[in-house]
Amino acid sequence: MTIQLGQIAPDFEQDSSQGRIGLYDYLGSSWGILFSHPKDFTPVCTTELAAVARLAPEWEKRNVKPIGLSVDSPENHAGWAKDIEETQGATVNFPVIADKDRTVSTLYGMIHPEADPSVTVRSVFIIDPNKKVRLSITYPPSTGRNFNEILRVVDSLQLTDTNKVATPANWQPGEHVIIVPSLSDEDARARFPQGWKTLRPYLRVVDLNAPAKAAE
């Protein structure tokens, strides 16, 4: 199964490191980051789970709940969590799904037989409060994920959901954004009283933090 952007994320109930868990119940009205690992006790994944754990204040600030997954048992997860704490100095503070029967992996297309039919690839899904999938990325086994980039995407999605803007390449929070082409100049004046810079009719750049221009 291929999960596409805009689709409703399939709900599931599965064992985890924090007991039986349902995706929708766990997320509630929060955003979610669902990310899979090939298996427990693997070196790159060990660093990734620690990285996500250290970002707990950032997830909380954005109303995001992370949830990991691998195809091992809850008992394996418990032993792995000890290794992560001892080697990385971080406590796993979010659930890790124990997808031993591969129910969730199959539901989300996390097993790529041409890569390895026995384990999951490194998938990432961002799920919004309406349970829609807003991002999906697949990483190769040898490359650890950049979770600061995942945070950046969440910031972009949350900003663009509430403003008629898009974020440009390499955008960081607080930087200029782009007014969407579907918004007319007339409507843009009402939304962006601070004004904007027109580079092309389809490329209008605005600073959302700038003060409104004084009436002439």
Side-chain angles (χ1 to χ4, degrees):
M1 181 175 180
T2 301
I3 304 296
Q4 298 183 344
L5 300 187
Q7 285 185 333
I8 298 298
D11 194 14
F12 58 79
E13 187 175 303
Q14 186 63 292
D15 292 332
S16 81
S17 58
Q18 296 184 5
R20 195 75 177 172
I21 192 170
L23 178 67
Y24 285 12
D25 287 342
Y26 172 69
L27 294 183
S29 60
S30 300
W31 290 70
I33 306 293
L34 173 62
F35 62 108
S36 59
H37 302 274
K39 60 189 300 185
D40 291 2
F41 302 105
T42 50
V44 175
C45 298
T46 298
T47 64
E48 289 183 321
L49 287 177
V52 173
R54 292 189 197 101
L55 287 171
E58 299 300 325
W59 303 126
E60 185 175 359
K61 189 188 305 180
R62 294 163 175 81
N63 190 31
V64 174
K65 292 182 178 179
I67 179 168
L69 177 147
S70 86
V71 294
D72 287 299
S73 67
E75 293 74 25
N76 273 3
H77 286 358
W80 192 22
K82 291 179 182 177
D83 280 3
I84 292 167
E85 188 166 0
E86 290 175 4
T87 65
Q88 307 298 308
T91 301
V92 178
N93 46 23
F94 53 87
V96 180
I97 298 166
D99 196 34
K100 199 171 182 181
D101 61 6
R102 293 163 172 72
T103 297
V104 181
S105 305
T106 301
L107 191 61
Y108 277 79
M110 294 172 171
I111 297 177
H112 294 193
E114 295 299 321
D116 190 326
S118 64
V119 297
T120 54
V121 293
R122 295 185 198 282
S123 297
V124 183
F125 297 94
I126 294 180
I127 302 167
D128 72 16
N130 295 318
K131 308 302 181 288
K132 284 188 177 181
V133 175
R134 302 297 298 277
L135 169 141
S136 65
I137 307 177
T138 301
Y139 287 77
S142 59
T143 304
R145 284 165 278 208
N146 183 340
F147 286 97
N148 288 321
E149 167 63 6
I150 305 301
L151 278 174
R152 190 188 77 92
V153 175
V154 171
D155 285 334
S156 173
L157 289 170
Q158 293 183 347
L159 177 70
T160 58
D161 276 358
T162 55
N163 295 274
K164 293 286 187 179
V165 297
T167 55
N170 301 323
W171 172 85
Q172 294 292 332
E175 295 180 348
H176 290 194
V177 295
I178 297 167
I179 300 172
V180 295
S182 61
L183 192 69
S184 68
D185 282 353
E186 182 180 357
D187 290 338
R189 288 187 193 97
R191 282 184 172 270
F192 308 109
Q194 68 270 51
W196 61 85
K197 184 176 182 180
T198 300
L199 303 176
R200 290 291 186 273
Y202 62 86
L203 183 53
R204 296 166 294 174
V205 180
V206 62
D207 180 358
L208 294 180
N209 299 311
K213 288 185 177 179
E216 296 180 355

